[in-house]
Amino acid sequence: MDRVRLPLVPRALRLGGVLAVAATILYFSVVTPPGSGMIRTGPFGVLPYSTWLHGLAYAGLAVTLAYAFQDSAWRDQTVLVVVFLVAVGYGGSIELLQSTLDARTADVGDLLVNAIGAAAAAVCWRVLTRWVR
């Protein structure tokens, strides 16, 4: 059985995906959506809805970054460390930006959830690429 070879699309499209995800995160981080605060808990009623959104957003950013740099000359571990650091750095920048906005607040807990989401996605990407390459 032949393995699927990554990447499947050109690098320019992959980088475009990263920019789209980053722009979406930025938009929803600075604009207060209508009806915000109506949904209190996420799936299973365990964690707040915003925690789920943070984790999924930065997991998505990490996956698109990992995919964008799949064919780089760097070792896999180096790519995943860079992906994690870029995702967490972007999350930190967003939190700093939110600290300057009246309608938003910066939260170290959000930054921690961003890091957990990015780390989980990087680990999952590493496992996935073992099977696909």
Side-chain angles (χ1 to χ4, degrees), residues 115-127:
I116 291 169
V123 168
C124 289
W125 183 262
R126 174 77 171 143
V127 170

Side-chain angles (χ1 to χ4, degrees), residues 13-35:
L13 288 176
R14 291 179 279 144
L15 290 174
V18 171
L19 291 176
V21 170
T24 302
I25 291 171
L26 177 63
Y27 176 79
F28 284 107
S29 295
V30 299
V31 173
T32 303

